[in-house]
Amino acid sequence: MDRNTTIAFILIGGILVLWLYLNSPKPPATLPTGKRTDTTAVVKDTVRTREKEQTLSLPQKQNKNETGNDSTTYGKFFDYYPGKGEIITIENNLVKLELSTKGANIKKYFLKKYDNWYSAGTKQKNGEKFYETHVQLINYSKGNALDLAFVSTDGKAINTKNLEFNLSDEKSYYKVSGNDSLTLAFVYNTKKGGEIKKIFTFYGNKYSIDTKIEMIRMNDLISNNAYDLVWGSGIRFVEDNSVDEATYSDASVYYGGEQVLVDASKPGEKVQKDFNGRVDWVAVRDKYFAAIIAPKDPSKVDGAYVEGYREDIPPDGVREFYSTRINVPFRNTALETSEFTVYIGPVDYDILKAYKGNLEAIVDFGSFFGLKFIVRPIAEYILLPLFNFLHDFIPNYGFVIVIFSLIIKVVLYPLTKQSFQSMKKMQLLQPKIAEIKEKYGDDREKVSKETMKLYSTYGINPAGGCLPIILQMPVFIALWGLFKTAIELRQQPFVWWINDLSRPDVIFTLPFKLPIFGINEISGLALLMGITQYFQQKMTIKDPNQKALIYLMPIMLTIMFMSFPSGLNLYYFLFNLFSIAQQYYINHRHDGMELVPVKNPNKKKGFMSRLMEAAEQQQKNQQKIRKKR
């Protein structure tokens, strides 16, 4: 490679390294003993104890006469309820959740197909063990889910979280499965004869809940011609590495035909954003799970409000909390109805795609310097369908990645071959370029001109080795986003020490952290990836002046990949391995390659030739200007 190609290569590598560094999550902290500590919830035993305290329970029925009226807070139309409310448990094929008559909202929400990080592989499904094992998404200590908030006509701020609703059926447990559904209606009666109804419909095989709000004879009780549907609980952090989880946590609103993110990215930062007009949905999410509220008729809402904040959790943890509101117009009539789809579950593209309203937009496939419009379609319509297709035949996701990486390598072979061949020609041209430099010495203008003639004579594009790499970048970034956040890889084992493809495959822990990177956990796959990167660099780089790159790039990439998911590292290790085999084949197949002058070298000048000529002309003009002065 000549100087220009080397500079281009270094720039591309530098951009990639910078991007990897900025997006690399910090690993969880370690105790002095070298054991992992939970940056999300402290340590395993403490978490288990806390989860026992939060398990679904069936408390004693509250006395309906315990209601009271806090006239200072709730005024003359609404009764403040000081009790805890009654608990109703709903179970379907996918979730088990807890509703409370106080507020008629969701208190806890367990996903039956997803385990907590500290209990992966535990299969108890009865009694308290069920609740210790499965992911619980409602962050009820921070607020309630699906409350209504408005200002009464006597000037009081009313939130239904403190109102006691009635449920006609006295049952405390319901189970629905298959294609069956269950509808429960919670009713609150005001002192003036009005009713607030929250009607929930649950399905046997869905994560979503159809939610209908009915305001009956509430005219003259609600001021400002509006009320809010409030999701105040955010969503719980449920992964071991809270820093990594916070990286992908945010709130978003589908507004104006696109997803608008609201992300508190700095500790102590509080972000707030108002949206006026049509809103298709609002959502809060962590890395793998989300809560989405979508109006069934978006034209019947007047906007939304989102706020969130980020805080440090010592020693090295991070949390982010988000709350949202959807503003619903109130026209002061005797009966007003609004309907919503409430989805609480995994950020799974296929599941979300089945719903109307572009809910799948919440799936993050990554971006690269604003190229989301290129990266996302590649991941969404090519890579993810291929990945899922392979899994239909191969149950182990690790082996899916093996076959997947081989297919990607074969598909990209034409670009890779062109790159290798171009670099080989450049290597063959180096002696002739050296002769030109020796002949013209310090006359840079003459050296550049003669070098470009040499390129033209042999039909070589100086950027020919780098251009195919640039064309492959959107594919690499799409793969990056796919493997970094794919819930399909969560808690999925491969072989030997690789027991979770969504987490680093730690083989040992250093007693200290590496400076700058803050890493002390050593990943086996990252080491293998670095080794293959070294051999690939060594096969590619022949110029003695570029010898440092053979060692620098593999070392930098190895260190940064230490904290990445093992599924991602497995892919890049295999991709490098296949690239080495491919390069060996191409190099030996073309060992007899010779430089052959083209017939009409001046027939059509390439981009680089035109660029060099323009630079040369500009240099001449500058020299003329200096002479005149």
Side-chain angles (χ1 to χ4, degrees):
M1 292 185 288
D2 70 332
R3 184 172 62 88
N4 293 327
T5 308
T6 302
I7 293 173
F9 181 79
I10 293 174
L11 288 175
I12 293 171
I15 291 172
L16 178 60
V17 169
L18 177 62
W19 181 77
L20 292 174
Y21 176 72
L22 292 176
N23 286 273
S24 59
K26 295 180 181 178
T30 55
L31 293 171
T33 59
K35 296 182 180 180
R36 295 176 67 87
T37 183
D38 174 21
T39 58
T40 306
V42 191
V43 292
K44 182 174 179 179
D45 292 337
T46 305
V47 176
R48 287 185 178 277
T49 302
R50 187 186 64 188
E51 290 292 341
K52 285 181 180 179
E53 296 172 355
Q54 295 178 355
T55 56
L56 290 179
S57 58
L58 301 178
Q60 296 296 319
K61 301 276 186 179
Q62 298 290 330
N63 186 342
K64 297 291 183 178
N65 294 325
E66 287 182 1
T67 59
N69 184 33
D70 184 343
S71 58
T72 303
T73 303
Y74 273 60
K76 57 185 178 181
F77 302 125
F78 300 89
D79 284 320
Y80 176 87
Y81 182 69
K84 293 183 178 180
E86 300 171 7
I87 299 300
I88 297 93
T89 303
I90 314 293
E91 183 175 1
N92 69 8
N93 297 342
L94 303 172
V95 305
K96 195 168 187 176
L97 62 102
E98 177 183 281
L99 296 170
S100 173
T101 56
K102 183 176 182 178
N105 53 36
I106 305 171
K107 286 293 184 184
K108 298 170 188 173
Y109 195 95
F110 292 88
L111 303 180
K112 298 167 73 171
K113 290 189 175 183
Y114 297 94
D115 292 339
N116 289 309
W117 65 267
Y118 54 82
S119 59
T122 305
K123 297 303 179 184
Q124 298 95 331
K125 294 187 178 180
N126 296 309
E128 289 187 351
K129 289 292 183 183
F130 176 91
Y131 308 113
E132 288 183 40
T133 302
H134 293 80
V135 164
Q136 201 281 94
L137 294 181
I138 302 297
N139 207 354
Y140 60 85
S141 64
K142 297 295 179 182
N144 294 305
L146 300 179
D147 288 323
L148 301 178
F150 54 87
V151 177
S152 64
T153 50
D154 60 345
K156 302 299 181 181
I158 307 298
N159 192 309
T160 57
K161 67 181 181 180
N162 291 318
L163 303 181
E164 173 69 356
F165 285 73
N166 294 307
L167 183 63
S168 58
D169 198 327
E170 293 296 322
K171 289 176 63 177
S172 59
Y173 175 83
Y174 298 86
K175 187 168 185 178
V176 56
S177 59
N179 295 321
D180 295 336
S181 62
L182 167 71
T183 298
L184 296 179
F186 293 80
V187 182
Y188 175 78
N189 298 293
T190 72
K191 290 182 176 181
K192 203 176 178 181
E195 294 181 1
I196 301 175
K197 276 190 179 182
K198 298 174 75 172
I199 304 169
F200 300 108
T201 300
F202 307 90
Y203 299 92
N205 54 4
K206 289 185 179 182
Y207 288 102
S208 60
I209 305 168
D210 284 350
T211 304
K212 180 187 289 188
I213 309 298
E214 290 186 356
M215 296 292 192
I216 304 171
R217 295 182 300 278
M218 291 294 291
N219 44 315
D220 299 326
L221 291 180
I222 296 178
S223 66
N224 297 334
N225 298 316
Y227 63 89
D228 290 337
L229 178 61
V230 182
W231 182 280
S233 66
I235 192 168
R236 293 183 73 232
F237 272 31
V238 294
E239 305 302 329
D240 182 16
N241 188 341
S242 67
V243 177
D244 181 43
E245 193 168 12
T247 301
Y248 299 95
S249 298
D250 54 51
S252 59
V253 177
Y254 202 83
Y255 178 76
E258 63 178 359
Q259 181 193 18
V260 181
L261 294 178
V262 179
D263 189 8
S265 56
K266 298 178 182 177
E269 176 187 24
K270 186 174 183 179
V271 293
Q272 299 173 308
K273 192 170 181 64
D274 272 304
F275 300 84
N276 297 313
R278 176 190 171 107
V279 169
D280 291 86
W281 49 259
V282 298
V284 294
R285 66 166 296 176
D286 55 26
K287 185 173 184 178
Y288 294 116
F289 305 100
I292 307 173
I293 305 175
K296 292 199 172 182
D297 186 352
S299 65
K300 292 185 177 180
V301 300
D302 274 352
Y305 170 79
V306 177
E307 71 175 28
Y309 65 95
R310 180 184 178 103
E311 67 178 20
D312 289 332
I313 307 294
D316 292 320
V318 173
R319 295 277 183 86
E320 290 184 11
F321 303 95
Y322 298 92
S323 61
T324 67
R325 292 171 175 257
I326 293 181
N327 185 258
V328 183
F330 183 75
R331 296 174 178 81
N332 209 32
T333 60
L335 174 62
E336 299 197 19
T337 302
S338 56
E339 297 184 70
F340 304 86
T341 297
V342 179
Y343 176 92
I344 312 171
V347 180
D348 184 298
Y349 180 87
D350 290 336
I351 294 175
L352 294 170
K353 182 70 174 178
Y355 292 90
K356 296 179 180 179
N358 300 297
L359 268 62
E360 70 277 7
I362 199 174
V363 180
D364 183 9
F365 290 114
S367 184
F368 186 69
F369 288 91
L371 297 180
K372 184 176 181 179
F373 68 96
I374 296 176
V375 172
R376 185 175 181 88
I378 294 173
E380 190 172 1
Y381 300 117
I382 300 175
L383 300 180
L384 183 60
L386 174 61
F387 191 71
N388 290 333
F389 173 78
L390 292 174
H391 186 251
D392 289 340
F393 302 95
I394 307 171
N396 187 299
Y397 273 105
F399 290 108
V400 168
I401 292 175
V402 174
I403 303 302
F404 184 86
S405 59
L406 180 59
I407 292 174
I408 296 299
K409 174 51 68 177
V410 171
V411 171
L412 295 178
Y413 175 73
L415 288 174
T416 307
K417 179 181 177 181
Q418 182 183 346
S419 177
F420 286 163
Q421 288 180 341
S422 181
M423 287 188 288
K424 182 109 180 183
K425 288 181 180 180
M426 289 297 297
Q427 291 172 10
L428 294 174
L429 200 63
Q430 288 306 310
K432 296 183 181 296
I433 294 176
E435 290 177 5
I436 292 175
K437 290 180 179 179
E438 184 177 353
K439 181 178 179 179
Y440 295 103
D442 295 332
D443 190 346
R444 295 183 180 181
E445 182 180 345
K446 193 67 174 177
V447 170
S448 297
K449 187 174 182 178
E450 292 299 319
T451 301
M452 291 310 301
K453 283 183 180 179
L454 201 62
Y455 292 151
S456 179
T457 299
Y458 293 101
I460 296 176
N461 183 352
C466 297
L467 185 59
I469 297 175
I470 295 174
L471 294 176
Q472 294 178 56
M473 287 300 289
V475 177
F476 292 151
I477 303 306
L479 286 165
W480 175 277
L482 177 64
F483 287 125
K484 282 282 283 183
T485 59
I487 193 171
E488 290 85 353
L489 299 182
R490 186 180 184 270
Q491 296 181 352
Q492 293 295 318
F494 180 35
V495 293
W496 302 313
W497 74 94
I498 307 168
N499 51 31
D500 186 346
L501 290 168
S502 70
R503 295 171 62 181
D505 57 309
V506 179
I507 54 176
F508 64 91
T509 303
L510 298 173
F512 58 90
K513 289 187 177 182
L514 297 176
I516 300 177
F517 298 97
I519 292 172
N520 65 339
E521 294 180 333
I522 305 303
S523 161
L525 284 171
L527 290 175
L528 291 174
M529 188 279 301
I531 292 170
T532 55
Q533 185 72 28
Y534 165 76
F535 283 109
Q536 189 178 5
Q537 294 283 95
K538 193 171 183 179
M539 293 174 70
T540 303
I541 298 175
K542 300 299 183 182
D543 188 347
N545 296 326
Q546 303 168 20
K547 190 175 180 179
L549 291 176
I550 298 176
Y551 304 96
L552 181 61
M553 287 292 289
I555 292 173
M556 293 292 291
L557 291 176
T558 299
I559 292 174
M560 284 185 291
F561 273 63
M562 286 295 176
S563 58
F564 291 161
S566 55
L568 183 67
N569 285 346
L570 175 62
Y571 170 79
Y572 280 106
F573 161 63
L574 292 168
F575 192 85
N576 285 348
L577 200 62
F578 294 145
S579 295
I580 291 171
Q582 188 179 71
Q583 187 168 352
Y584 180 85
Y585 169 75
I586 293 174
N587 287 347
H588 283 72
R589 184 181 178 186
H590 296 282
D591 270 347
M593 180 183 291
E594 296 180 357
L595 290 174
V596 180
V598 297
K599 293 182 179 180
N600 298 310
N602 297 319
K603 184 176 180 180
K604 184 177 180 180
K605 295 181 179 179
F607 171 75
M608 286 300 296
S609 297
R610 296 194 300 270
L611 187 64
M612 291 293 290
E613 287 182 358
E616 182 182 347
Q617 185 60 44
Q618 184 178 3
Q619 187 176 7
K620 288 180 179 179
N621 294 337
Q622 289 176 350
Q623 289 177 351
K624 289 180 181 179
I625 293 172
R626 291 193 193 100
K627 289 179 180 179
K628 289 180 179 180
R629 291 178 180 175

